[in-house]
Amino acid sequence: MCGIVGYIGSRSAQQVLLSGLARLEYRGYDSAGVAIMDGEQIQVRKKAGKLANLSGELLALPLSGTLGIGHTRWATHGLPNDTNAHPHATEDGRLVIIHNGIIENYLTLKEGLMARGHVFLSQTDSEVLAHLIEEKYDLVNGNLYEAVRQALSEVRGAYGIVVTHALHREIVAARTVSPLVMGVGEGEMFLASDVPALLPYTRRMVFLHDGDMVVLSDDGFRVTDLAGNAVARTVEQIDWDAEAAEKGGYDTYMLKEIYEQPVALTNTLIGRLHDETGEVNLDIDLDPSSFKRISIIACGTAYYAGLVGEYLIEQLARIPVEVDVASEYRYRDPLVSKDTLAIVISQSGETIDTLEALREAKRGGARTLGIINAKGSSMTRELDDTLYIHAGPEIGVASTKAYTSMVGAMLMLALWLARARGTLTQEAGKELLHAARALPRLVEEALEPARVERIKAVAEKYAHSRDYLFLGRGVNAPTALEGALKLKEISYIHAEGYAAGEMKHGPIALIDAALPVVVVATESRLLEKTISNVQEVRARGGQVILLLSDGDTENAQHADEVLYVPRSHEMVSPVVNVVALQLLSYFTAAHLGRDVDKPRNLAKSVTVE
Ligand code: F6R
């Protein structure tokens, strides 16, 4: 994901920017650039590829100056080339911006700006910000802060934006969704998208909140909201080492990534949902009427996202879907034809079984689509189309935020197919779209401290169980499977996941007083049936841990433990519900002293058969 570094003070800006960007390299990127102010001139240098390409050029031909902004870009709109790299400047080169995030209404803004004579050089959504701010700048008599503020009032989307102007020795920045942190020095100020970039320079930091704007000068900063009202933000003393900083102050990457899910989901959904029309724009070159069946292929957690996808696509778009574990698909001589759309799902884009299954599908003549997190990964080079989930780097071995973003992407795909094939009315489309839009907020609610504390207490109470059973039905049957996988991989407790209705066909024999049974029993068409399955467990002395929708006090009587989760539309509920199961696994494993980020015998990316 993109990285941002800004500096104003008396050091060489080039040196601060390059060292800061290098500390953000672990987040992944495909181009890099800096803008440095020298007197009343701003010089921009940017290069596709690794930071070393840019730093090599800057070492040969250094830029002097003590104010600058730098960026590493992970392409969303437009190819990863020199022109699309940030910073972006206005035609006169005086105003320069960098931007993380996605501007949802950039096309409308761009059309207006072009009609008013602005010339665009890149294909990025970000460049509209430079032109829009320039226009406002003239209207507000050269007040840079006010120009940025007014421009942002016309922008819809997610942004961490940083702006500088040749006639102002200051940096103006703002954020919504995309993170920004300020570093406070003596006679110097720093800015970054992430703490590690600033650690060598200062430990005094200010975490900007959503909707904050800030002006940085040599001797300090001032924060306002987007309406221009002053806002007080405290300077915090950060004592993290480099590793703790990469974990954002959390104990583990996994926990950090669980908490990153609202932002990751926002990034998955942003710019793709159109409330007014109930339409979804996926920016893929796929003809929705060109195939008659869909084959979803993936491994592990990604496979479970595929199972949710099967349910959503068949329900909403009425296309037959089959889901395969990639290691089986590649050897079972599958029936593939030109009528098949093969969808591979992968966080890393490198899993060898999935990659080989993709090749098998291609050999059979299928059209291929990937739901992928890692840009530029092997699969993306072989796929016909890629729908990136934009979840950001996932470092913890156990997948969490990639899973919820994959399910979010499957939901959008199902909606897109359904609308294109006329199986979903505009009204129903709008309802689901609203439900999808609510996901980041609902996941944030699922992470409220009181809920997390409750899950932790339950996890610790049952942490010494030998086995666990997870049950769910319908669209949440895969949630149960994912809950069981998460628990076994990080806690090493044996866990099974089952479709609740299937329990009586065998697993019921396992049930006794020592077996905790987690049942996803949130609001759904099948809730009554799920509760019947719960009764079957209770009748055999099993310990029932029920996931119930907020406010469902009636069904609480059937449980030994209740974990309440925020209410959500049934079709999107797997995203909200799984968060409680991720936390249950996490706290179980942490209580048992497991190395949560590096579970035994597992690797983040499985590139061997
Ligand atoms: C489980 C987990 C694995 C991966 C699987 C596929 O937490 O992380 O099951 O989901 O190895 O990996 P990707 O998505 O990279 O293809």
Side-chain angles (χ1 to χ4, degrees):
M1 294 297 271
C2 310
I4 285 179
V5 184
Y7 177 71
I8 178 167
S10 52
R11 303 175 198 242
S12 147
Q14 172 174 315
Q15 198 252 316
V16 176
L17 300 181
L18 287 178
S19 85
L21 292 176
R23 282 185 173 78
L24 299 180
E25 275 195 293
Y26 75 99
R27 299 177 58 81
Y29 64 97
D30 46 46
S31 56
V34 295
I36 293 177
M37 190 194 294
D38 194 7
E40 288 192 358
Q41 279 249 316
I42 298 182
Q43 307 259 17
V44 176
R45 296 272 174 80
K46 44 195 198 173
K47 278 261 163 254
K50 287 285 153 204
L51 186 60
N53 298 350
L54 176 72
S55 42
E57 192 176 298
L58 284 170
L59 288 177
L61 281 171
L63 291 178
S64 61
T66 55
L67 184 162
I69 60 180
H71 192 252
T72 42
R73 171 176 187 250
W74 208 28
T76 55
H77 295 67
L79 296 170
N81 57 27
D82 289 2
T83 314
N84 289 334
H86 298 214
H88 293 289
T90 48
E91 288 109 301
D92 63 9
R94 292 200 305 187
L95 190 145
V96 178
I97 67 113
I98 55 184
H99 163 235
N100 283 359
I102 290 175
I103 305 300
E104 284 191 87
N105 57 336
Y106 86 100
L107 274 178
T108 324
L109 292 171
K110 188 169 176 176
E111 277 161 20
L113 287 159
M114 284 170 73
R116 296 193 292 277
H118 291 263
V119 178
F120 282 76
L121 297 179
S122 77
Q123 292 129 14
T124 64
D125 54 336
S126 307
E127 195 185 342
V128 297
L129 292 169
H131 297 280
L132 193 61
I133 297 167
E134 178 187 40
E135 228 174 53
K136 302 291 177 198
Y137 183 82
D138 292 336
L139 293 176
V140 295
N141 303 322
N143 179 333
L144 184 60
Y145 161 82
E146 191 54 23
V148 175
R149 199 184 70 76
Q150 291 197 11
L152 290 178
S153 71
E154 293 179 20
V155 163
R156 234 182 33 238
Y159 52 79
I161 176 180
V162 186
V163 187
T164 185
H165 190 290
L167 300 183
H168 300 258
R169 193 166 162 84
E170 62 187 19
I171 296 174
V172 180
R175 69 155 287 198
T176 291
V177 182
S178 302
L180 278 181
V181 56
M182 232 172 359
V184 182
E186 295 293 331
E188 58 183 353
M189 289 292 302
F190 304 82
L191 192 70
S193 51
D194 219 347
V195 170
L198 307 184
L199 283 180
Y201 302 104
T202 178
R203 302 247 151 202
R204 300 178 66 224
M205 301 202 191
V206 178
F207 293 91
L208 294 174
H209 297 201
D210 258 2
D212 279 357
M213 282 192 71
V214 63
V215 182
L216 276 70
S217 54
D218 288 285
D219 46 15
F221 66 92
R222 80 187 155 90
V223 185
T224 72
D225 60 20
L226 289 166
N229 306 307
V231 172
R233 293 276 171 252
T234 40
V235 181
E236 293 176 42
Q237 184 71 31
I238 299 295
D239 50 16
W240 307 338
D241 58 21
E243 200 194 329
E246 284 191 7
K247 291 179 189 157
Y250 291 97
D251 288 344
T252 60
Y253 285 111
M254 183 178 170
L255 195 58
K256 173 177 183 255
E257 286 157 11
I258 288 174
Y259 276 92
E260 278 174 351
Q261 289 178 111
V263 171
L265 272 164
T266 303
N267 288 331
T268 307
L269 302 173
I270 206 156
R272 290 167 162 168
L273 306 176
H274 298 286
D275 300 276
E276 309 79 34
T277 56
E279 301 282 344
V280 174
N281 172 17
L282 296 180
D283 218 3
I284 48 178
D285 189 23
L286 176 68
D287 173 2
S289 60
S290 63
F291 48 88
K292 295 200 170 61
R293 50 195 283 269
I294 293 178
S295 234
I296 300 179
I297 312 155
C299 299
T301 287
Y303 168 71
Y304 297 141
L307 291 180
V308 179
E310 173 187 33
Y311 193 96
L312 296 174
I313 293 172
E314 288 201 339
Q315 285 283 311
L316 301 176
R318 311 304 296 159
I319 308 171
V321 181
E322 55 181 6
V323 194
D324 271 271
V325 165
S327 53
E328 286 297 315
Y329 181 92
R330 57 184 285 204
Y331 293 116
R332 78 168 166 81
D333 202 7
L335 290 172
V336 192
S337 69
K338 290 208 173 346
D339 286 347
T340 311
L341 172 68
I343 303 178
V344 296
I345 309 179
S346 177
Q347 188 288 126
S348 62
E350 301 294 347
T351 305
I352 195 72
D353 285 322
T354 312
L355 183 60
E356 286 299 337
L358 163 64
R359 290 173 179 157
E360 177 68 28
K362 284 185 87 153
R363 274 194 292 277
R367 170 98 193 174
T368 59
L369 168 68
I371 311 276
I372 308 282
N373 194 33
K375 285 246 158 177
S377 51
S378 302
M379 287 178 213
T380 63
R381 294 196 290 273
E382 299 187 27
L383 283 158
D384 294 322
D385 281 295
T386 302
L387 179 57
Y388 284 109
I389 61 171
H390 300 310
E394 191 179 63
I395 292 164
V397 165
S399 185
T400 52
K401 64 175 180 171
Y403 177 72
T404 41
S405 284
M406 284 166 183
V407 176
M410 291 312 292
L411 175 69
M412 287 192 295
L413 183 64
L415 281 171
W416 180 75
L417 288 169
R419 293 290 287 127
R421 296 167 68 101
T423 52
L424 194 69
T425 62
Q426 192 185 51
E427 272 323 292
K430 279 189 185 175
E431 188 194 334
L432 279 165
L433 209 126
H434 287 302
R437 263 214 194 272
L439 280 173
R441 177 179 52 78
L442 291 171
V443 169
E444 199 152 328
E445 280 176 30
L447 291 164
E448 281 164 356
R451 292 187 206 268
V452 176
E453 278 310 308
R454 168 88 188 118
I455 295 170
K456 185 166 184 253
V458 171
E460 292 178 357
K461 182 168 167 189
Y462 294 90
H464 294 285
S465 304
R466 204 190 57 183
D467 310 281
Y468 247 94
L469 184 61
F470 288 77
L471 302 175
R473 289 190 89 113
V475 73
N476 277 300
T479 309
L481 304 185
E482 171 59 6
L485 175 62
K486 218 77 314 165
L487 186 71
K488 65 187 136 196
E489 73 179 317
I490 60 169
S491 75
Y492 320 148
I493 294 175
H494 167 243
E496 300 242 20
Y498 262 91
E502 184 65 8
M503 183 190 58
K504 54 188 168 300
H505 300 288
I508 199 164
L510 292 172
I511 292 168
D512 64 16
L515 184 74
V517 183
V518 180
V519 188
V520 183
T522 50
E523 207 158 63
S524 89
R525 291 177 301 138
L526 298 172
L527 179 55
E528 268 183 28
K529 292 190 186 302
T530 309
I531 294 297
S532 303
N533 301 133
V534 170
Q535 312 275 29
E536 291 157 11
V537 175
R538 298 270 287 182
R540 283 149 190 92
Q543 305 273 318
V544 174
I545 302 171
L546 267 193
L547 246 67
L548 292 178
S549 299
D550 277 348
D552 182 354
T553 45
E554 197 187 320
N555 286 312
Q557 56 176 314
H558 306 301
D560 294 282
E561 315 287 347
V562 176
L563 301 176
Y564 279 111
V565 296
R567 277 178 182 270
S568 58
H569 189 295
E570 183 178 355
M571 290 299 209
V572 308
S573 63
V575 173
V576 184
N577 295 343
V578 80
V579 175
L581 302 189
Q582 295 168 344
L583 289 166
L584 186 73
S585 301
Y586 181 83
F587 289 119
T588 305
H591 188 68
L592 295 172
R594 311 293 191 226
D595 184 349
V596 174
D597 282 334
K598 291 198 183 69
R600 69 184 181 204
N601 309 336
L602 285 168
K604 182 65 189 158
S605 179
V606 184
T607 50
V608 291
E609 241 197 284

